[in-house]
Structures are given as C-alpha cells and as structure tokens.
Amino acid sequence: MKILVSNDDGVYADGLWALAKELREIATVTVVAPDRDQSGAGTSVTLRQPLRMIEIKTPLDGVAAYSVEGSPADSVILALRLVLKDSVDLIVSGINEGPNLGDDVYISGTVGAALQGFFYGIPALAFSIAAFGSLHFDVAARLARLIAKEIVDKGLSRRMLLNINLPNLPPEKLEGIEITRLGERRYADRIEPGHDGKRQYHWILRGKSEWQTVSGTDIWALQKNKISITPLFGNPDGFSRELLKSLAPALFQKLVDDTDS
Ligand code: MN
C-alpha cells in the first residue's frame, strides 16, 4: 500500500509526522506538504506563478519528504503527478491543530489537500484535533492507521472523502465514534487595521465562532466527547454511510484497546 501524507500546517508540523510515523507501520509513506503554515488555504490551486518543490531531510527512515512553496492542494497535485505518478492508494491529510467542523471544511487547507485526492479518485482522509496546544496526536494517528487498514481490507469505495475530528482526549476519556453530517459553525470576522509606515493594511481576525448544536452533526459529536467522521461530497460511487456506521463500534474498540488485528 502507498500512502501520501500532506497537511496545511506545514511540512514541519508535529501532527504530520505523528501521522507519517504511524502509517509507516502498514504502508510505504511519502510526505509532500506546504513549506509553511497554509491553514485556511482551502482548495486554492496556484495557477499564476511557478511552484518550487525540494526534497527535505526526513526524520523518519524510509519516508521521503518534499516541501512545496505553495498550497496544500498544490502539494497534493505535485505529489500525484510528479513524485508518485498517480500510484497512490490513500491520501491522509493532517493531523491539523484545531478543529475543522461544519462550515470550516470549505476554507480548511486540511480538507483542501484531501479533496485533491478525491478529485483524482483516491480515497482521502482529513484529520483534525479540536484543540490548540498540547495535542493527543498519537490517538488520531492510530485511528488513521485503523481506518486505512479498513479501507484496504474491506475495499471501501474509492470515491470517498472522510473529514475526521477528534476531541483532544486520551483514549479512555473518548465516548465513541459517530458518523455525522456537517454542522453549522459561523465566524464573526473582525478587521484589524494597521499601518506599515507607508500604507494601510488589514488583518482578518477570526472572531469567536457561533456553534449550533444539532443532533447528528460533527459539532454535536465533539461536544459529547466523541470522534466525528463526516463523509463529504456525496456518494457517486455507492459509498455506504451505513457500512461506515456498522464499522464504527469495532473501530472504536480497536482504538481504545490499541490493537489493529
Ligand atoms: Mn491548519
């Protein structure tokens, strides 16, 4: 199995390497990711300037890593067309620092990277932890390995993009896995004006978000200390939400027990 790992927090982010390390146990892993934090880049593709990509020194044996001076989507396109030449079984994006819930998915670079995989007909997973600071990357990475294995073993649909959010908790504090739909989470953006000595500039500051707790949504699942798995973008290839629901309890048990059999 060949897995491409990317993200939007940049190629040196801890979450990305936690993911690569865990997935290396079951697959040949290649990392191609933006050279810096590209959070909020969404699905943006760079079409008006050339892109630079360099192979960087890797902290993990056997995992080649490339840094791209571009967006998460740029990174995945270069990975698929140039580095790996389309021979990829799965794309895993993340692990993002901070949630990507509800309306977030439309500006999320974490989801944006995964979405490129979806466009190419490759199953894609986007992982985020709904907190900032000291994060339980190990739990999310282990879940990624378990789901990757399910995708291969059960032959789940290739037209699949799962947006996965975890509460920042150790396994024993997690309450389960819910298969959800997107909730509504609205931002109150604020503009902070400034002056650089020559010209005026503006910072867009994301204000405190408004959460709507509606049963069955990703936001609702996280508030119940559950992991949320949201299948995105329909099921043109017959992807089954019901199948995923039937797999969730066993998946959660394996995560808590730390087994992958
Ligand atoms: Mn990010």
Side-chain angles (χ1 to χ4, degrees), residues 37-234:
D37 185 5
Q38 290 277 356
S39 295
T43 59
S44 164
V45 178
T46 304
L47 299 175
R48 290 180 187 81
Q49 64 185 63
L51 294 167
R52 290 181 200 281
M53 177 175 69
I54 54 164
E55 185 163 9
I56 62 168
K57 200 171 174 320
T58 176
L60 287 179
D61 275 351
V63 176
Y66 298 82
S67 165
V68 175
E69 203 179 344
S71 70
D74 294 335
S75 304
V76 171
I77 293 168
L78 285 179
L80 294 180
R81 298 314 303 245
L82 188 65
V83 181
L84 295 160
K85 304 264 195 304
D86 291 342
S87 63
V88 176
D89 299 293
L90 179 69
I91 294 182
V92 188
S93 178
I95 303 161
N96 190 60
E97 181 173 353
N100 278 306
L101 296 165
D103 302 342
D104 287 345
V105 301
Y106 301 108
I107 65 152
S108 163
T110 307
V111 176
L115 189 58
Q116 290 302 321
F118 178 79
F119 289 156
Y120 276 81
I122 299 164
L125 310 172
F127 279 89
S128 305
I129 297 181
F132 296 92
S134 181
L135 300 182
H136 290 277
F137 286 129
D138 55 329
V139 183
R142 219 158 64 229
L143 181 63
R145 166 165 58 75
L146 291 169
I147 295 177
K149 214 161 163 295
E150 290 286 344
I151 287 172
V152 172
D153 291 352
K154 302 275 193 322
L156 298 184
S157 166
R158 294 192 66 76
R159 280 292 273 184
M160 176 170 68
L161 200 182
L162 303 181
N163 184 44
I164 300 158
N165 281 268
L166 295 92
N168 188 33
L169 294 169
E172 66 274 13
K173 296 240 171 91
L174 291 167
E175 298 289 343
I177 296 176
E178 290 281 351
I179 310 304
T180 58
R181 60 181 195 282
L182 293 178
E184 285 186 32
R185 180 170 189 245
R186 296 230 173 80
Y187 284 97
D189 293 325
R190 225 160 36 81
I191 308 298
E192 181 81 21
H195 206 279
D196 65 8
K198 208 171 177 186
R199 288 175 307 175
Q200 190 169 29
Y201 62 79
H202 309 279
W203 272 110
I204 295 177
L205 300 177
R206 310 239 80 185
K208 197 171 181 307
S209 53
E210 268 178 49
W211 302 66
Q212 294 198 1
T213 309
V214 179
S215 176
T217 63
D218 49 3
I219 293 165
W220 164 82
L222 269 281
Q223 286 180 346
K224 295 203 307 174
N225 290 341
K226 291 185 172 188
I227 295 165
S228 164
I229 300 182
T230 314
L232 295 180
F233 305 110

